[in-house]
Amino acid sequence: MARRSRRQQSVPAEISAAVMVESLDQEGRGVAHMDGKAIFIDGALPTEKVTYQVTRSKDKYAFANVVDVLKQSNLRVNAKCKHFGYCGGCKLQHLDAVGQVAAKQRLLENDIKHIGKAKPENMLPPLFGPTWGYRHKARLSVKYVAKKERVLVGFNEKGTRFVADMDSCQVLTPEVSALITPLQELIFNLSLRDKIPQLELAVGEAIETTRKNIVLIFRIMDVLLPEDEALLKNFADQHHVSIWTQTKGPDTVKPFYPLDAPSLQYSLKEFDLTYPFKPNEFTQVNPQINEVMIRRAMQLLQPRAGERIADFFCGIGNFTLSIARSGATVFGYEGLDNLVARAVESATLNGLESTTKFGVSDLFKMTDESLTALGRFDKWLIDPPRDGAFDLVKAIDDSNAPARIVYVSCNPATLARDIDVLVNEKGYKLSAAGVINMFPHTAHVESIALFTRDAV
């Protein structure tokens, strides 16, 4: 392909001598050293002996692609997806699924030790589940290629902003994977084929039929003509999907067709909970692992009737309502009005409005005073975005400190930074920590940690 060859032509031709790969970094690259310089090698695995080709070099480190694997890891496997190595959606399909989880656990342990300056009293068994067809939410790029008279729909190419030329995806649900080629054909036939930069997808549980509920959000930068609307409606009918549109910011996301489609929802059967959600609202991409993660969080938090518990970064109430099933009174705090409104709706739907309270709060600007003003809580659950919860944990003092904190993280580096504060400044013990393989075949590391503190 022209795009791929342009990228390859920019790569220096020199091939390295053989090196031994020591570990994986947080981007899923093999880490080796040559003449005191760290080399991050895409496509290499720990224990392997490889040659590589440098793509970018600095004084103390370099980035490279693997050229030849001279001694292969016994955990190396053949990638299932034919687009692997080209598409940037997955980084680790060449590593056995169990090996992926082990590598992520080592990354977590290393960050806790070196950044958090702590050691867990107990390493929890990793949580993992289905490794293929698990992804129920995604954002795909769209590109009309005029010279080839075709439209590309997919993830970006590895290391570039170009759209990967793909016709399937092994980590998306099979129903969505099967839509990639039809979507390319649909968008090509629209008058504004060059005015659609991306589309988002969300998959909910089947409600009225055995088919999953699929919503596609088209980011549209121009006006739909009547013939465009007819094509979109025909596509929705033919493929049993709902189509939404977005013309500007997030507040312009709205249903297009059919207007009477059932709402998206997911459920937590163990806790007898149902959560309605809009396709652009945050929900976990992996519903099977979400259930297992919530079960572990409840085991660690140990919520009890009569307790007053805070759920910080509560989103639409994913953890809040599970905690409330214990009989505890739960206060959910989130920075976005629309998510708080959705959490209130879900609490009411599930008959938990009397034991849940929700509020909008900028948790990235928490102070001692604003935290104390919320009142004393027996326990906390924290589930922040990648930036972590630094200001929140810094605001803890003897007047507002809970006895137990369960921290769910999507970034081991910021979790480790916050561990340093909780353990080395606030007097907590890191009682347990472990990984959750929410995103198989990617380098993304989800984790969970338990902190306990003696009463003052």
Side-chain angles (χ1 to χ4, degrees):
M1 294 182 183
R3 285 180 177 170
R4 195 185 303 185
S5 62
R6 281 203 304 270
R7 184 171 73 247
Q8 290 171 340
Q9 289 167 5
S10 67
V11 174
E14 183 178 351
I15 307 298
S16 75
V19 294
M20 293 299 298
V21 182
E22 303 152 17
S23 61
L24 288 181
D25 74 353
Q26 292 191 5
E27 298 299 322
R29 297 171 295 217
V31 181
H33 288 83
M34 174 68 77
D35 300 326
K37 187 173 185 175
I39 314 295
F40 300 94
I41 309 170
D42 197 31
L45 296 176
T47 75
E48 291 188 332
K49 189 175 184 178
V50 304
T51 59
Y52 60 87
Q53 193 171 51
V54 172
T55 58
R56 186 158 58 96
S57 184
K58 299 290 184 180
D59 290 340
K60 295 183 178 180
Y61 62 91
F63 297 102
N65 290 323
V66 71
V67 175
D68 286 314
V69 180
L70 306 177
K71 176 179 176 289
Q72 184 171 290
S73 166
N74 59 6
L75 294 177
R76 179 177 284 273
V77 296
N78 293 324
K80 183 175 182 178
C81 180
K82 62 185 177 181
H83 306 299
F84 178 69
Y86 167 52
C87 169
C90 293
K91 289 285 189 73
L92 296 173
Q93 283 194 28
H94 59 310
L95 177 58
D96 174 81
V98 175
Q100 292 179 31
V101 175
K104 293 177 181 184
Q105 186 93 347
R106 285 192 292 271
L107 278 169
L108 176 64
E109 292 175 12
N110 187 64
D111 280 353
I112 291 174
K113 177 180 178 180
H114 295 287
I115 301 174
K117 304 178 185 66
K119 182 179 180 180
E121 294 180 349
N122 177 38
M123 287 304 301
L124 298 167
L127 296 179
F128 50 94
T131 55
W132 303 107
Y134 67 84
R135 187 156 189 166
H136 283 57
K137 297 197 78 174
R139 178 178 296 163
L140 302 179
S141 297
V142 178
K143 180 66 176 179
Y144 169 58
V145 185
K147 290 183 179 179
K148 295 188 176 182
E149 281 296 291
R150 59 175 305 205
V151 167
L152 301 177
V153 175
F155 294 107
N156 286 352
E157 291 182 14
K158 184 174 66 176
T160 80
R161 292 186 178 180
F162 295 127
V163 183
D165 188 354
M166 52 192 288
D167 57 11
S168 62
C169 176
Q170 296 292 336
V171 297
L172 293 175
T173 65
E175 299 90 344
V176 171
S177 176
L179 290 175
I180 293 176
T181 296
L183 279 167
Q184 293 169 343
E185 296 170 353
L186 165 68
I187 296 171
F188 178 79
N189 288 317
L190 297 176
S191 69
L192 36 56
R193 62 175 72 92
D194 58 342
K195 299 292 195 303
I196 302 177
Q198 71 180 37
L199 63 87
E200 292 185 57
L201 62 95
V203 181
E205 293 175 339
I207 300 176
E208 297 174 352
T209 70
T210 57
R211 289 189 297 268
K212 289 183 178 178
N213 191 2
I214 300 173
V215 175
L216 305 173
I217 305 176
F218 286 76
R219 181 78 168 92
I220 295 177
M221 309 297 289
D222 208 336
V223 178
L224 286 170
L225 299 178
E227 52 265 38
D228 296 324
E229 294 185 353
L231 286 170
L232 288 168
K233 290 177 180 178
N234 182 65
F235 183 91
D237 289 337
Q238 181 181 352
H239 295 281
H240 308 288
V241 301
S242 299
I243 292 178
W244 291 42
T245 60
Q246 179 182 356
T247 53
K248 292 183 180 179
D251 58 336
T252 65
V253 174
K254 62 181 181 179
F256 169 74
Y257 180 85
L259 297 178
D260 60 349
S263 300
L264 290 167
Q265 69 172 46
Y266 70 94
S267 62
L268 299 174
K269 295 180 177 59
E270 182 175 342
F271 298 94
D272 189 26
L273 295 170
T274 298
Y275 296 79
F277 65 96
K278 289 185 178 179
N280 58 323
E281 292 174 340
F282 176 81
T283 56
Q284 296 290 354
V285 304
N286 191 330
Q288 296 94 335
I289 289 296
N290 185 50
E291 284 208 60
V292 179
M293 176 179 69
I294 290 177
R295 182 186 306 135
R296 173 159 288 177
M298 296 306 103
Q299 291 168 347
L300 296 175
L301 190 65
Q302 298 176 11
R304 294 183 173 86
E307 290 182 328
R308 193 173 188 268
I309 299 176
D311 180 10
F312 291 110
F313 306 95
C314 68
I316 67 172
N318 190 43
F319 289 102
T320 321
L321 305 190
S322 302
I323 299 171
R325 278 286 186 237
S326 69
T329 300
V330 193
F331 295 76
Y333 299 99
E334 172 59 55
L336 298 175
D337 293 8
N338 64 305
L339 295 183
V340 168
R342 181 70 60 205
V344 171
E345 177 188 343
S346 293
T348 302
L349 175 67
N350 289 282
L352 293 169
E353 65 272 22
S354 64
T355 55
T356 54
K357 311 290 181 184
F358 294 94
V360 178
S361 178
D362 186 350
L363 302 173
F364 295 110
K365 295 180 180 179
M366 187 64 73
T367 64
D368 300 12
E369 293 77 13
S370 57
L371 178 59
T372 300
L374 298 179
R376 186 73 178 255
F377 297 101
D378 299 292
K379 297 169 182 175
W380 288 7
L381 189 138
I382 311 175
D383 183 18
R386 291 187 61 81
D387 290 339
F390 186 69
D391 282 357
L392 179 62
V393 299
K394 286 286 285 187
I396 293 174
D397 59 29
D398 288 346
S399 70
N400 57 37
R404 182 176 289 254
I405 299 173
V406 172
Y407 191 135
V408 179
S409 168
C410 58
N411 184 345
T414 54
L415 169 62
R417 177 205 64 198
D418 295 347
I419 285 173
D420 185 24
V421 174
L422 288 165
V423 172
N424 299 313
E425 296 181 25
K426 303 300 181 179
Y428 282 88
K429 291 184 291 187
L430 178 54
S431 299
V435 297
I436 305 164
N437 199 22
M438 183 71 71
F439 293 81
H441 311 299
T442 78
H444 181 99
V445 181
E446 193 94 6
S447 57
I448 190 167
L450 170 65
F451 302 87
T452 56
R453 186 179 193 264
D454 295 332
V456 177

